[in-house]
Amino acid sequence: DTGVSQDPRHKITKRGQNVTFRCDPISEHNRLYWYRQTLGQGPEFLTYFQNEAQLEKSRLLSDRFSAERPKGSFSTLEIQRTEQGDSAMYLCASSLAGTGSQETQYFGPGTRLLVL
Amino acid sequence: GDSVTQMEGPVTLSEEAFLTINCTYTATGYPSLFWYVQYPGEGLQLLLKATKADDKGSNKGFEATYRKETTSFHLEKGSVQVSDSAVYFCALRRPGNAGGTSYGKLTFGQGTILTVHP
């Protein structure tokens, strides 16, 4: 069991640049979530996929953010024209739908983004 | 909307002390409730969960009981260890709807930093 993996683990970029993060979920999991965590706060939901369909997006997800899961496996989160306020930890989680109230999300280690 | 409120930290205890971290929630219907733990340098890990009223979740000596009447899910441990030092997050997941569009999203509290000294 390899768990949820994320790449890169750390990213430093200059304001205005575009960045892309990747998440590889647990192989049999059909749901994939993105969250953002700022210092001293709990994670906040950004978006989620069931298979390749993006089913919900938070109002936190401005039009500079886009997420894809083209084949229902790995997912990418892109931030265009980064701003200093985008600096945060970006977390990915996956789960197996269809287990009802027993559904459990498993989190990756996160990608820490610093925008200078 | 849904929200989770945790007791403010940080919490500092001596080894073998009793731990309580308070968590209350606001949500429509009957959410599932979770405690996640984040050890230094690691990702979030599920510690325990409860899916209906009066359920008790337990793991690694930690316990929490789903109290619908007080909308609470307080985390307790009878004797903490230095290795329990971490950040603890309470979270809820609202019951799914027929369309499945809201099912699954977790709403987290702000986290409580626990430090245990030898």
Side-chain angles (χ1 to χ4, degrees):
Chain A
D1 178 10
T2 57
V4 179
S5 61
Q6 293 186 244
D7 184 70
R9 295 290 304 275
H10 303 274
K11 178 71 177 178
I12 300 174
T13 191
K14 293 182 179 179
R15 189 177 54 184
Q17 298 294 304
N18 299 343
V19 294
T20 300
F21 310 141
R22 177 180 170 125
C23 171
D24 286 272
I26 294 171
S27 59
E28 65 269 23
H29 284 182
N30 51 7
R31 282 189 173 161
L32 187 148
Y33 304 81
W34 286 99
Y35 294 84
R36 181 172 67 188
Q37 185 180 16
T38 53
L39 202 61
Q41 300 297 317
E44 295 175 294
F45 170 79
L46 292 178
T47 188
Y48 100 92
F49 294 83
Q50 179 150 328
N51 300 311
E52 65 276 9
Q54 188 173 19
L55 294 186
E56 187 173 359
K57 293 195 293 186
S58 163
R59 283 170 289 182
L60 292 175
L61 212 65
S62 76
D63 57 5
R64 296 185 297 106
F65 288 70
S66 61
E68 295 183 342
R69 194 183 183 199
K71 297 182 180 178
S73 57
F74 73 92
S75 175
T76 58
L77 177 68
E78 181 183 18
I79 309 174
Q80 297 183 325
R81 306 180 303 280
T82 52
E83 302 173 356
Q84 289 182 327
D86 298 329
S87 296
M89 177 78 86
Y90 290 84
L91 299 171
C92 176
S94 70
S95 68
L96 185 62
T99 52
S101 61
Q102 299 303 316
E103 179 183 344
T104 297
Q105 292 181 31
Y106 296 87
F107 282 80
T111 295
R112 184 170 295 283
L113 172 67
L114 177 61
V115 181
L116 301 177
Chain B
D2 299 341
S3 67
V4 176
T5 302
Q6 291 182 231
M7 66 183 289
E8 294 189 11
V11 174
T12 303
L13 295 172
S14 297
E15 207 165 26
E16 300 183 1
F18 184 85
L19 168 71
T20 299
I21 301 178
N22 289 340
C23 171
T24 57
Y25 68 89
T26 302
T28 304
Y30 300 93
S32 296
L33 301 174
F34 304 83
W35 277 99
Y36 278 83
V37 59
Q38 191 170 35
Y39 297 104
E42 298 185 15
L44 282 166
Q45 301 175 24
L46 178 67
L47 181 59
L48 53 84
K49 67 181 180 184
T51 58
K52 61 182 187 295
D54 300 324
D55 266 4
K56 177 185 285 187
S58 61
N59 186 27
K60 300 182 180 179
F62 290 89
E63 292 183 340
T65 302
Y66 188 158
R67 300 288 188 199
K68 179 178 176 296
E69 63 277 12
T70 55
T71 61
S72 65
F73 192 54
H74 304 322
L75 182 68
E76 296 181 337
K77 187 175 185 182
S79 176
V80 293
Q81 305 300 311
V82 172
S83 58
D84 293 327
S85 298
V87 185
Y88 292 80
F89 293 93
C90 185
L92 70 82
R93 186 183 66 224
R94 202 178 342 141
N97 57 29
T101 57
S102 294
Y103 202 90
K105 175 177 69 175
L106 290 170
T107 299
F108 286 86
Q110 75 273 29
T112 301
I113 300 172
L114 171 65
T115 303
V116 181
H117 293 298

